[in-house]
Amino acid sequence: MELRYSALTLDTLSQRLSEIDSITKRVGPNHADWSVSEIGDGNLNLVFIVKGSIGTVIVKQALPYVRLVGDSWPLTLERAYFEYNALIRQEKRDPGIVPSIYYFDRAQGLIAMEYLDGFKILRGKLILGEHVSGLADTMGKFCARLAFRGSDLSLAAKEKKDDTSLFQNNVELMAITESLVFTDPYFNAERNHHTQGLDKIVQILRDDSKMKSNVQHMLRKFTSNAETMCHGDLHSGSIMCTEHETRVIDPEFAFYGPFGFDLGMLMSNYLMAYFSQPGHRKNKETVNSYQKWILDVIDKTVQVFRDEFKLLWRHERTGILYPQSLFEDQGHESEEAMEYILSDTWKDAVTVCGIEMHRRCLSLAHNADFEEISDISLRAKLEARNLLMGRDLILNAKSIGKRQDVLDLAEFYNRKDPF
Ligand code: SR1
Ligand code: MG
């Protein structure tokens, strides 16, 4: 008989998971010897590290509410089911990028997975000023492979439609993005908060109806443009790295949406790391050189994304869209169509980037890049630069045609006195 849901605790976890072969095989046969700790830094879930005589496993369990807020905000346990389904698809579409899954229990909202030994959350590394070699290459390929291989450019029509209908049920997690990301920043929503000193900038954004319309145009694409399975929450807290290796975690917000969504969210998190640097170290040269490295990561990520997407277009176009039978087989090239898609994807990525830059400073879930800056007036100045650049991206996405334009804008706002 299936056990009713009950949240694991440090005291109950070992006993409760001790009969699951796929876990004991990796942790150790004697559960009394297991040591269990809880990471406790996520917005939504419980995450335990379980160590035993054989090895270490991560156990992630959904709570029936949003952890960050408490039980006043109930949230479906089914998010673990969507995360599990996204993880197995990501593993297929970009092998080796996600942790291996050892066990999944839908009723308990529980996934046991590989412990990424030696890996740390990228956001923490960016705050500390640490470099990761190969980051842009891995993430550019990840975004392109996920976008292309989950779409009608690649999948058989039935698989794509089955996938789309499965993830269309991830309603509650999409609703979080629809409100916290696309809507709340632009009015006085209950859960909003912002740093003291930003009132005037916030008012500029809320009074800008052209910009708000562009944000809503993007929300329309978010809800209606089911092009591919997106990770859905690709910020620097969903990426883990060593000095040389990169993995992607936490796809519980997975949904079918626009090609450029993940790339845009990723770029914005790099840009927030970029703008926040002067709040984390004093030496100007160190700040400058690390900021240059971040811009270089953005530049290379976008370049790799484009190159990988083109490669897949040329060699893996097996879906119903732009079939070879209509182009190459007739002696007609399809490169113009490909460039059209890439440019549309880029415009969406730039818009999503600007929106994510806003929500992380204005709505519920802020990020540590800015939150850890204790000098409030410095934090406000850095966040203001970030907010104003976000507005520029949303307003001018159509004319920001190249990745260099984004880098130039970042350097411009980074020099700007925003007040
Ligand atoms: C209520 S959840 C807040 C945020 O945390 C997650 O990581 C997502 O980014 C979500 O928007
Ligand atoms: Mg997460």
Side-chain angles (χ1 to χ4, degrees), residues 42-44 66-69 73 75 123 173 176-177 180-181 191 232-235 237-238 250 252-253 265 356 359-360 363-366:
N43 289 336
L44 296 179
V66 173
R67 181 178 186 158
L68 177 69
V69 175
W73 187 347
L75 190 65
R123 192 184 304 288
L173 281 274
I176 291 179
T177 307
L180 289 192
V181 178
R191 294 193 171 104
D233 198 25
L234 196 58
H235 54 77
S238 297
D250 271 10
E252 64 207 315
F253 283 80
M265 188 173 280
E356 173 77 1
R359 75 92 169 210
R360 288 293 184 188
S363 79
L364 173 74
H366 290 208

Side-chain angles (χ1 to χ4, degrees), residues 291-415:
Q291 283 183 317
K292 278 208 173 68
W293 180 76
I294 296 176
L295 292 190
D296 193 47
V297 169
I298 298 175
D299 186 37
K300 285 203 180 107
T301 305
V302 179
Q303 186 184 350
V304 170
F305 175 88
R306 286 179 57 84
D307 290 348
E308 185 69 9
F309 194 94
K310 288 181 183 182
L311 191 82
L312 297 171
W313 178 279
R314 287 167 193 148
H315 299 289
E316 289 191 16
R317 226 164 68 245
T318 51
I320 53 167
L321 281 183
Y322 309 87
Q324 304 222 356
S325 54
L326 278 189
F327 291 90
E328 288 78 0
D329 295 356
Q330 309 290 333
H332 300 151
E333 55 112 71
S334 61
E335 302 280 304
E336 206 180 310
M338 178 187 73
E339 285 299 344
Y340 176 89
I341 293 178
L342 279 171
S343 120
D344 196 44
T345 300
W346 172 244
K347 185 163 67 66
D348 287 351
V350 169
T351 309
V352 169
C353 180
I355 298 168
E356 173 77 1
M357 287 162 89
H358 286 169
R359 75 92 169 210
R360 288 293 184 188
C361 295
L362 303 181
S363 79
L364 173 74
H366 290 208
N367 57 19
D369 308 60
F370 291 121
E371 292 296 289
E372 284 187 5
I373 301 171
S374 52
D375 176 341
I376 298 298
S377 67
L378 177 60
R379 189 203 297 179
K381 182 170 102 178
L382 304 178
E383 287 186 329
R385 289 173 174 163
N386 172 68
L387 290 169
L388 291 173
M389 173 162 175
R391 175 170 177 249
D392 209 330
L393 294 178
I394 298 165
L395 282 172
N396 300 309
K398 269 190 195 152
S399 56
I400 298 173
K402 301 186 299 297
R403 52 187 197 276
Q404 187 58 45
D405 298 339
V406 171
L407 310 183
D408 291 346
L409 272 180
E411 284 178 334
F412 169 78
Y413 281 101
N414 190 48
R415 285 190 299 267

Side-chain angles (χ1 to χ4, degrees), residues 169-220:
N169 289 306
N170 200 3
V171 177
E172 291 189 31
L173 281 274
M174 281 189 270
I176 291 179
T177 307
E178 287 152 11
S179 55
L180 289 192
V181 178
F182 285 98
T183 313
D184 288 3
Y186 306 107
F187 79 108
N188 191 19
E190 205 187 324
R191 294 193 171 104
N192 286 354
H193 62 103
H194 60 253
T195 302
Q196 190 190 326
L198 287 177
D199 287 0
K200 277 193 182 144
I201 306 272
V202 174
Q203 208 48 50
I204 292 173
L205 303 185
R206 293 201 180 141
D207 286 345
D208 190 337
S209 56
K210 170 88 178 92
M211 189 199 70
K212 284 193 293 187
S213 298
N214 286 357
V215 174
Q216 290 300 302
H217 297 325
M218 196 61 231
L219 175 56
R220 182 162 58 92

Side-chain angles (χ1 to χ4, degrees), residues 89 93 150-167 256 318-321:
R89 282 161 180 77
R93 292 169 195 172
S151 78
D152 279 310
L153 291 167
S154 164
L155 293 179
K158 178 160 175 14
E159 192 181 351
K160 162 73 180 358
K161 287 177 174 65
D162 286 347
D163 253 30
T164 309
S165 85
L166 188 153
F167 285 97
Y256 261 76
T318 51
I320 53 167
L321 281 183

Side-chain angles (χ1 to χ4, degrees), residues 54 57-58 86 108 129 138 218 220 230 241 292 366 378 385 417:
I54 297 179
V57 159
I58 291 289
Q108 299 297 327
T138 306
M218 196 61 231
R220 182 162 58 92
C230 303
C241 306
K292 278 208 173 68
H366 290 208
L378 177 60
R385 289 173 174 163
D417 176 1

